Amino acid sequence: MSGLPADEEAEVLARIASEALSGLQGHSVVVEADVVAAAPAFSVVGLPDAAVQESRERVRAAIVNSSYEFPSRRITVNLAPADLRKEGPSFDLPIALAFLLATGQVKDGSDGRGPLAAVGELGLDGTVRPVAGALAVAQSLRARGVRGLVLPAGNAAEAALVPELEVYPAATLAEAVAQIEAGGCGAAPPVDLDALLAATPPSDADFSDIVGQDGVKRALEIAVAGAHNVLMTGPPGAGKTMLARRLPGIMPPLTRDEAVEITRVHSVAGLLPPGEPLVVRRPFRAPHHTISSPGLVGGGGTPRPGEVSLAHLGVLFLDEFPEYRLSALEGLRQPLEDGEVTISRRLVSVTYPARLMLVAAMNPCPCGFAGDPGRECVCPAFRLNQYRSRLSGPLLDRIDLRLDVPRVPPRDRRASRPSESSADVRARVVAARVRQVARLAGTGVYANAHMTSRHLRRYCRLEPAATAKLDRAYDQMRLSARAADRVVKVARTIADLAGAEVISAAHLAESLSYRDRGGEPGE
Amino acid sequence: MSPVSERPAGARAMCVWLGTLASWRPGFIGRLVREHRTMAGLLQCSPGEIVAFAARPGRGGRAPSDGGGGGTPAERRSDAQHFVAVLREGPEACLSRAERRPPGDVVVAWSEALYPDQLRDLGDPPLCLFVRGGADGATVRARLSAVADTPLVAVVGTRRPSSYGQDMARLLGGGLARAGVVVVSGLALGIDAVAQRAAIEAEAPLSPATVAVLGCGADVAYPRSNAHLYARVGASGLIVSEFTWAVPARSWRFPARNRVMAALGRGVVLVEGAERSGARITAGHAADLGRDVLCVPGEAGRKLSQAPNRLLDDGARVCESVADVLKVIGVADAGPGAGSRGSAGGLLPALILDHGSASVRDVLEALQEASLTIDELAARCGLPVAKVAAAVSDLEVEGLARRVEGGRYRLLRA
């Protein structure tokens, strides 16, 4: 120590900016490395979790295998601020870079242009592996005014979505070092998301693939047009899953902002496929009915997005709806109401977006054959009641359309007229959405399904014959007040599809056919 | 068993005591009557003789499986304990306990004039009936005596009806009530409940609106999911049981209850039932008692059509409408309007005049031939599905059609 000149003393402390995520929210983290001539040790402090602790081993091996020196000194890495919990392996790269700066093996070349931030996981051989949540990290750094970011090459495409942020991909530690020494050069080109969106068909599956089921298709068109949630009831093999799968294809085309939002959530969940770093289609999520409540709505020790958030701006398909855990079903209520999920833990509270269209499907009875002309149902009465009563009123209140999906016999399938393509249906849906957005401007609501009862009174004008029909239905069909509200909402969407500003009796009558029938059939 | 008196008790106390004993041991009355040949002879026994009879092994009132009749061992044990407790109690104490009840609960003994005469046709009649209905004893007694002067018809069937069965039960329940016939049923799930609800909702000037015969205590709402209907029957009709207060439901009590239903009615209408079903048992009892048996014919090949179609084969009468029932039991039909509300065809012009919609008429015509789904209707009528969906809703609102299983729409006939 005594032999070292004074200016080298100053080099022993180095800083690299990085970012920690809690949910989609970024928090600034500064990685500081201090090297002193003392008994050899390498410690990481600043509330690191197990994965961060292990990063010492990866950093040591990556440095040595990238032909840098790992001197026998006392090295302390601090992740500031010390009261924020740091998780995951994304601090490997900034720790290694801070270490190399602190030991003087690397010089910062940014020259007053502002320092670069870094995130990335290291392999033992010095490769830089992709991390989860790179898009959210990049957005957060940009919002803080950071100039540029050195990050794994595999994350470059998503980070490059963020405008006005220089993105420097690095496949190895050596490349990352080169970027730091050059102060950043050869930034990844911005991604032309619009071109990518235009080039991607909205869905591989087309509505015209399904023969027959015109009644159900019409109802699904209405559902998508007004962003209404749907419950389909029908025997196994009626085509409920096939129909649901085709819904993203008739939803309005994805906008740029929507694609970024979806990518952000999928990135944080670590679900972006390696080859396709961007999500350019509306998601279709179909979790199995054995899924846990945290799996469906989000949660876990480190709150991760659940299926409701992964289905954000797309479709969440729950087949065998009554078979899901009750806790999972009840957990759906808040996201369906608010369009987002908040998960609270002792140290953090995380919010994920969850603006999804719920498409639920169920069999008419546990055995699946009630009402099937070909087979007889064998369910005992109590099982049937049990099956139907698993769905709570408050949850069903958030589902505007109820459909019966009958099984189409092969001869009808052959006889059926050719069906419309998804593109034709989508065009009508878009026109209906445009009317809704214009009407609801300034209300904070963008589609009919989300109208409150105040909006209903204001925006759903019924012609006198329609009012009379609603009153009569209210008495005859014993609609509840809520069910009547849902009928009006759906009628509003039907009128929008027809391009009408006033809801006619015919619109209302059609809407009634999708109403909640309570226990019917079966007393 | 010493506390039980050796001298003869009053006829009413004796009836209630024996009836209470029979609530806890299957077939007890039948065996007693066989032992004493006539009811009169039985009622002249001293309590001591009954105690001795009950204790006699083998024949002695003891069922082969010891008070059994199904149920878990714990349930059988509990029934046996109740039986012994009542036996020790003796007639007077038993009567006063049975009468220590809220004002709307009444006990009617076989020996009383208020006891329904129809039940005396049974070989093993209930020795007493535990009845509730209305706020006070006077109302219950008024309704009971009305039952003697009013024609009664039992409507029974499966607990899991198809929508067709429900529609027929609803039609019959409401139509019979409007025609002045009291509907008797068992307040079970399914056909029973539909028919009784329809009878209450017919708002006919009948008192009682309907009679429910239970297989548990008359103060026990079983099944629980029918608790709401139970309360409505209690308010405007009669709830009757041969089992004493608070007796829980057990499988052997339902066939016993069925014989009471069969005996109470002038006839029994069976709406859907499997080959071996409680409804079939009821119809069998009715036939044995010389009551009229009618069946709503079922679709061939369905499980729920077995009981009615088999009985029709055995000579039961066909029931397609309320008028069929009235004709068979010999009640004058009050004419159209009172018993029915006119056919769908009759209402058609009014509806079309109201709405001027050709699609509604086309859909209605197609539905007159078969029950169809929206897609099938669209294909038959050459209409877009949106129009068909609106048309079927119009029909539903007017009460002319309804959606049934499998997304089909069916016309309702009255």
Side-chain angles (χ1 to χ4, degrees):
Chain A
M1 186 96 166
S2 58
L4 286 171
D7 62 327
E8 276 192 55
E9 284 276 313
E11 293 284 11
V12 296
L13 182 68
R15 287 194 181 85
I16 285 277
S18 191
E19 195 77 4
L21 286 179
S22 67
L24 296 171
Q25 181 71 44
H27 300 281
S28 172
V29 169
V30 175
V31 179
E32 301 173 317
D34 184 39
V35 180
V36 288
F42 183 14
S43 55
V44 176
V45 298
L47 221 54
D49 78 346
V52 178
Q53 282 297 353
E54 287 170 0
S55 93
R56 287 180 303 172
E57 304 306 321
R58 289 190 296 272
V59 166
R60 188 199 310 268
I63 285 176
V64 172
N65 291 330
S66 303
S67 311
Y68 297 104
E69 262 181 60
F70 198 93
S72 300
R73 302 214 197 156
R74 182 187 176 85
I75 300 141
T76 305
V77 170
N78 179 35
L79 309 176
D83 61 348
L84 178 76
R85 183 166 272 288
K86 323 295 183 309
E87 284 154 343
S90 68
F91 298 106
D92 289 4
L93 183 61
I95 290 174
L97 292 174
F99 174 92
L100 292 173
L101 286 168
T103 53
Q105 301 182 68
V106 173
K107 293 260 181 295
D108 184 359
S110 51
D111 297 334
R113 281 190 290 158
L116 296 175
V119 292
E121 179 185 335
L122 285 176
L124 297 185
D125 58 354
T127 52
V128 179
R129 298 172 191 274
V131 294
L135 176 53
V137 164
Q139 283 176 324
S140 171
L141 287 169
R142 170 69 211 127
R144 203 167 292 122
V146 173
R147 169 172 68 98
L149 170 66
V150 179
L151 89 175
N155 291 126
E158 47 175 309
L161 288 175
V162 180
E164 295 166 38
L165 179 74
E166 298 166 17
V167 171
Y168 300 108
T172 62
L173 179 58
E175 285 181 33
V177 166
Q179 291 292 359
I180 293 292
E181 291 202 305
C185 75
V191 174
D192 190 353
L193 187 55
D194 297 310
L196 200 57
L197 285 172
T200 315
S203 169
D204 284 333
D206 200 278
F207 243 37
S208 58
D209 303 341
I210 300 174
V211 185
Q213 300 291 24
D214 293 342
V216 180
K217 284 183 189 165
R218 161 75 182 167
L220 291 176
E221 176 182 334
I222 295 166
V224 171
H228 304 283
N229 298 321
V230 179
L231 173 59
M232 296 193 278
T233 307
K240 302 185 292 278
T241 308
M242 291 238 302
L243 286 157
R245 244 175 222 298
R246 281 153 181 80
L247 289 178
I250 62 166
M251 296 172 96
L254 209 52
T255 65
R256 194 194 149 80
D257 289 348
E258 285 175 333
V260 170
E261 266 188 69
I262 299 169
T263 304
R264 199 155 74 116
V265 179
H266 283 243
S267 162
V268 163
L271 286 178
L272 290 177
E276 304 164 42
L278 300 176
V279 182
V280 287
R281 282 178 173 173
R282 291 193 183 273
F284 177 83
R285 303 293 299 187
H288 189 252
H289 63 72
T290 52
I291 191 172
S292 68
S293 175
L296 189 64
V297 295
T302 314
R304 279 170 48 87
E307 291 289 339
V308 290
S309 301
L310 295 174
H312 178 55
L313 300 172
V315 171
L316 178 67
F317 178 56
L318 300 182
D319 200 1
E320 310 281 3
F321 195 41
E323 304 283 0
Y324 284 78
R325 281 162 219 249
L326 286 182
S327 58
L329 290 178
E330 293 309 304
L332 275 177
R333 281 161 50 181
Q334 190 227 342
L336 288 182
E337 189 73 5
D338 305 338
E340 59 182 31
V341 190
T342 301
I343 306 157
S344 295
R345 289 291 176 269
R346 192 168 57 87
L347 288 174
V348 283
S349 175
V350 165
T351 300
Y352 289 114
R355 238 167 54 201
L356 57 110
M357 174 175 169
L358 172 67
V359 180
M362 63 188 276
N363 293 332
C365 66
C367 82
F369 292 106
D372 192 304
R375 306 266 306 257
E376 207 148 344
C377 163
V378 293
C379 305
F382 79 97
R383 276 281 286 141
L384 194 63
N385 288 337
Q386 244 174 17
Y387 187 68
R388 289 181 180 156
S389 64
R390 284 177 65 87
L391 303 177
S392 74
L395 179 58
L396 290 174
D397 275 342
R398 290 165 176 80
I399 301 181
D400 291 343
L401 278 89
R402 312 292 162 83
L403 315 177
D404 270 345
V405 185
R407 211 197 321 242
V408 182
R411 63 168 183 287
D412 288 11
R413 246 180 269 163
R414 282 192 297 274
S416 187
R417 292 160 288 187
S419 278
E420 277 184 304
S421 71
S422 290
D424 295 342
V425 181
R426 190 167 59 238
R428 291 195 296 268
V429 166
V430 169
R433 281 281 178 97
V434 167
R435 296 185 68 92
Q436 293 169 52
V437 169
R439 181 183 315 116
L440 296 167
T443 59
V445 168
Y446 67 99
N448 290 338
H450 309 307
M451 287 191 292
T452 63
S453 38
R454 197 165 45 84
H455 296 145
L456 278 180
R457 281 195 298 277
R458 182 141 172 228
Y459 298 112
C460 298
R461 211 140 55 75
L462 282 85
E463 65 171 31
T467 311
K469 196 178 293 283
L470 183 64
D471 290 346
R472 190 152 167 70
Y474 192 83
D475 298 336
Q476 290 286 308
M477 297 170 166
R478 295 177 205 179
L479 294 182
S480 67
R482 283 198 185 135
D485 276 0
R486 288 198 294 272
V487 167
V488 173
K489 264 189 215 178
V490 173
R492 176 67 268 168
T493 305
I494 294 172
D496 283 333
L497 278 169
E501 203 45 48
V502 178
I503 298 168
S504 79
H507 300 148
L508 194 93
E510 187 186 352
S511 170
L512 277 170
S513 76
Y514 309 123
R515 74 184 187 277
D516 169 17
R517 283 157 196 269
E520 305 171 49
E523 294 280 323
Chain B
M1 314 231 167
S2 50
V4 173
S5 157
E6 286 305 315
R7 76 198 152 73
R12 179 171 154 80
M14 196 67 184
C15 285
V16 173
W17 187 48
L18 290 173
T20 307
L21 283 170
S23 305
W24 300 109
R25 182 169 285 188
F28 187 62
I29 294 300
R31 282 188 289 275
L32 271 175
V33 175
R34 274 197 296 283
E35 175 87 4
H36 296 274
R37 302 226 172 58
T38 62
M39 286 293 285
L42 168 59
L43 293 181
Q44 273 156 16
C45 290
S46 76
E49 285 173 81
I50 302 294
V51 172
F53 175 82
R56 210 186 298 167
R59 276 188 316 146
R62 198 167 291 200
S65 56
D66 182 33
T72 63
E75 287 173 349
R76 283 208 296 274
R77 215 157 35 240
S78 148
D79 279 6
Q81 281 163 1
H82 277 104
F83 182 84
V84 171
V86 175
L87 204 58
R88 287 194 178 141
E89 186 177 40
E92 267 79 21
C94 178
L95 172 64
S96 69
R97 192 166 53 90
E99 290 188 325
R100 233 180 2 251
R101 298 288 302 174
D105 290 356
V106 170
V107 187
V108 183
W110 184 87
S111 56
E112 290 172 283
L114 212 52
Y115 185 87
D117 270 337
Q118 304 97 303
L119 296 185
R120 299 183 200 274
D121 296 348
L122 285 165
D124 54 342
L127 278 159
C128 58
L129 289 179
F130 300 84
V131 189
R132 66 163 39 178
D136 52 50
T139 314
V140 180
R141 290 197 178 82
R143 287 182 188 167
L144 265 173
S145 59
V147 161
D149 309 326
T150 320
L152 271 63
V153 165
V155 178
V156 296
T158 176
R159 278 175 293 168
R160 281 272 328 266
S162 68
S163 61
Y164 164 68
Q166 287 176 35
D167 288 346
M168 288 308 291
R170 191 173 298 122
L171 186 77
L172 291 168
L176 287 171
R178 278 186 290 269
V181 176
V182 174
V183 172
V184 178
S185 201
L187 210 63
L189 296 175
I191 296 294
D192 288 20
V194 175
Q196 296 199 283
R197 187 175 297 131
I200 293 171
E201 287 171 2
E203 283 167 4
L206 276 179
S207 182
T210 180
V211 176
V213 185
L214 303 193
C216 52
D219 55 342
V220 179
Y222 177 90
R224 290 249 309 273
S225 47
N226 268 352
H228 181 65
L229 181 59
Y230 171 92
R232 291 179 72 185
V233 175
S236 64
L238 280 178
I239 299 169
V240 174
S241 175
E242 65 176 302
F243 305 108
T244 190
W245 307 114
V247 167
R250 295 264 197 278
S251 54
W252 65 268
R253 296 199 174 104
F254 292 98
R257 169 278 299 269
N258 289 349
R259 83 188 197 289
V260 175
M261 273 200 294
L264 269 180
R266 278 199 205 177
V268 168
V269 185
L270 195 158
V271 189
E272 293 196 319
E275 181 83 56
R276 297 158 55 82
S277 58
R280 177 101 193 247
I281 293 174
T282 310
H285 282 302
D288 292 346
L289 291 165
R291 309 286 196 259
D292 295 308
V293 177
L294 296 98
C295 293
V296 174
E299 189 184 321
R302 291 193 74 95
K303 217 167 131 195
L304 291 178
S305 307
Q306 286 167 349
N309 291 3
R310 204 74 16 250
L311 286 166
L312 286 170
D313 190 39
D314 290 346
R317 307 290 295 268
V318 171
C319 170
E320 289 181 320
S321 65
V322 175
D324 288 340
V325 184
L326 299 179
K327 195 174 71 198
V328 169
I329 64 168
V331 172
D333 195 344
S340 68
R341 53 176 178 189
S343 71
L347 279 180
L348 181 53
L351 184 75
I352 287 174
L353 282 180
D354 280 2
H355 302 275
S357 156
S359 58
V360 171
R361 191 184 52 219
D362 290 349
V363 167
L364 195 51
E365 270 172 19
L367 286 179
Q368 265 163 351
E369 286 172 30
S371 304
L372 299 168
T373 64
I374 297 244
D375 282 13
E376 289 163 347
L377 282 167
R380 288 226 187 165
C381 306
L383 290 167
V385 285
K387 276 226 160 100
V388 173
V392 290
S393 285
D394 281 339
L395 291 175
E396 276 195 288
V397 172
E398 298 306 325
L400 295 176
R402 88 177 172 109
R403 186 160 77 178
V404 299
E405 307 91 342
R408 270 156 218 290
Y409 285 84
R410 204 183 56 234
L411 280 196
L412 294 177
R413 289 164 207 285

